[in-house]
Amino acid sequence: MKRKVSGLLTALAVVFVLNAQPPVQVLLDGTSTNTVISRHIYGHFSEHLGRCIYDGFWVSDSLGVPKKDRIRLDIVEALKKIKVPNLRWPGGCFADEYHWRDGIGPRGKRPYMVNTNWGGVSEDNSFGTHEFLELCELIGCEPYIAGNVGSGTVEEMAKWVEYLNSDAKSTITDLRKENGRETPWRVKYWGVGNESWGCGGNMTADYYADEYKRYATYARNYRGAPLYRIASGANSADYNWTETLMKKAGNQMWGLTLHHYTLPTGSWSKKGSATSFDEKEYFTTMKNCLFMEELVTRHSTIMDRYDPNKRVALVVDEWGIWTDVEPGTNPGFLYQQNSLRDALVAGTTLNIFNNHADRVRMANLAQTINVLQALILTKDRQMLLTPTYHVFDMFKVHMDARQLPVKFTSPLYQVGDNKIPAVNISASKDSAGLVHITLVNLDPNKKHSLRFTLPGIKWAGVSGDVLTSAQLTDINTFENTNKVRIEKFAGARRLGEELVLDLPAKSVVALELR
Ligand code: AHR
């Protein structure tokens, strides 16, 4: 009887071994370190939209939280921790209706306007140029300002740049000094319009290219403040826009933008809920997210034709998941919750950007607080860090590190007849010689075993972090702020010269090789 049972067990073991998938072989090439992953890939976006600026960064005097002026310092601390490198402002669509002179001088005297893009609410202009730049100084990040092409003038934009960046005496720089700022800020990143094909003026590519050159010409370089001019680029797969801009104005810009949002259902009219979705909708979301790989590849190929030395940056200054708003909230405020699915979108997109760092040198997630794929949600005095925030925390090790090429064939994740690559990876080596690998497993049902060969990399041990949760729909709430959180990862080890690991289902993992 005993012999029969052990025979059965052996047979079962053989069946198991035959059915088990061999580990995925990954080649991480430590001998090729030509490209730097710009820290500006990890940028963020703060528009005058819903509760991002007002009741987000900028709160009422009476709110009982630590503040500098009316800037929330708990938020500043959280953003410092993830080393936010740049912050884009004031929009978005809002930028092309924003007149900077309305947002300077004594606050009580600033004009009011209607925010026609976002909910038709009244904007009191209490958060303007000085307040934004103070916020950037507190966070320790570069400002990235989008100027108004759609409804502004060349003169208005030119004077804004002079106000910000000139150290010479003029009526406009005297005004800056009267308003409390003696020295210029020397703002570097300058957007010439936003979505000029849509809310920024509904222009054709040809027309905008000419307008771009006119506005960009008079947005001057001042002493010690060369301007990095960024042209408004394509809506997702509009390759003609990139072609036209590169052909007509490619030699007059530092960067060209690309906007692409991940819609769970793929439809703008019914995007899908942030918190309630089935596996089929999750699959479609991730398929739409992975489209970023094709987008950056094809836009880069066009740019390569006009700029083979890759001088012009592809600036993906709006990306992220865009769902239906939370039930009961103002539809114009774009407030959505943030689940483990959002973390997988963030990790996957950042891996794509890292792997295209030769061309993608700046990017901005939309948007920092209380809007779209937010890092932070607030409710009165409370704030919570979303799963997406944790991904930025895990990936910050790649900032300004040298990209390491990763080669492998991903196992597939299949739903019905449709398949997508289950695993995505990027890697880098920092200035201290530490190698970091970030991995995402999109498969919600299966772990994947990986085996790395690492030519050119000297390492003795590995440690790591993991972000996952029981359900893809899991979120952090004001009642339970810590449900989706970073934990220590013990699933990786050294085996001879190789690194082996089991990548858990629906997870983001960050490894450090020492
Ligand atoms: O991020 C929200 C909006 O999406 C921005 O204002 C606009 O540029 C884009 O269409």
Side-chain angles (χ1 to χ4, degrees), residues 45 47 49 92-93 118 194-195 259 261 318 322 366-367 372:
F45 175 28
E47 180 166 8
L49 192 181
C93 296
W118 305 117
N194 167 74
E195 296 196 348
H259 288 184
Y261 286 98
E318 285 188 33
W322 190 325
Q367 300 194 7
L372 299 178

Side-chain angles (χ1 to χ4, degrees), residues 320-340:
I321 182 170
W322 190 325
T323 70
D324 294 333
V325 298
E326 280 304 293
T329 64
N330 186 331
F333 279 17
L334 310 186
Y335 177 78
Q336 63 190 49
Q337 247 293 357
N338 197 287
S339 68
L340 176 63

